[in-house]
Amino acid sequence: MNFRCLILAAGRGERLRPLTDSCPKPMVEIAGKPCLQRIVEYLEGYGITEVMVNLHWLYPQILEYFGNRLIYLYEPELLGTAGTVHRALPWMGKSFILMNGDTLSNFDLGDIVRSHLHYKKPITAVINPENNH
């Protein structure tokens, strides 16, 4: 798959306090691995290896864990989703995947990308594809 991915991972994780007082939310472990590690492995399973992560809260922990495996977009002040996407657009190009750094899923990303390309829509959004309500 020739797509790049931007993972939103800069927030403070207020709802997970006190866990996130000393750990960035994407680095909270789920079954022995940081959530962000699971997301990166999921993307790699689809051949997506160009991954940018926006950082802010306790960002050195993410830098130390992933090293040069990821591309980083540090935000001294939080930009919000739209601000981050706008700032990252020159790197992302015309077609890209945007994910949250605290969301795990097992939906078939390949199916979504193929559908996006087939219908030639400017935006394809998938929100909680497992929820059939």
Side-chain angles (χ1 to χ4, degrees), residues 87-112:
R87 188 168 167 211
L89 272 175
W91 174 81
M92 291 187 299
K94 191 172 182 177
S95 294
F96 60 90
I97 296 165
L98 179 66
M99 297 183 74
N100 288 321
D102 61 354
T103 304
L104 297 177
S105 183
N106 63 354
F107 65 86
D108 188 330
L109 188 58
D111 282 349
I112 292 166

Side-chain angles (χ1 to χ4, degrees), residues 1-5 46-48 50 92 95-97 113 117:
M1 218 177 290
N2 193 16
F3 275 69
R4 290 178 168 180
C5 181
Y46 288 96
I48 299 168
E50 291 185 88
M92 291 187 299
S95 294
F96 60 90
I97 296 165
V113 169
L117 294 172

Side-chain angles (χ1 to χ4, degrees), residues 3 11 13 29 32 40 44 47-48 60 66 71 80 82 100 111 120 126 128:
F3 275 69
E29 288 194 3
V40 169
E44 289 173 344
I48 299 168
F66 287 97
I71 298 163
N100 288 321
D111 282 349
K120 298 180 175 104
V126 177
N128 196 9

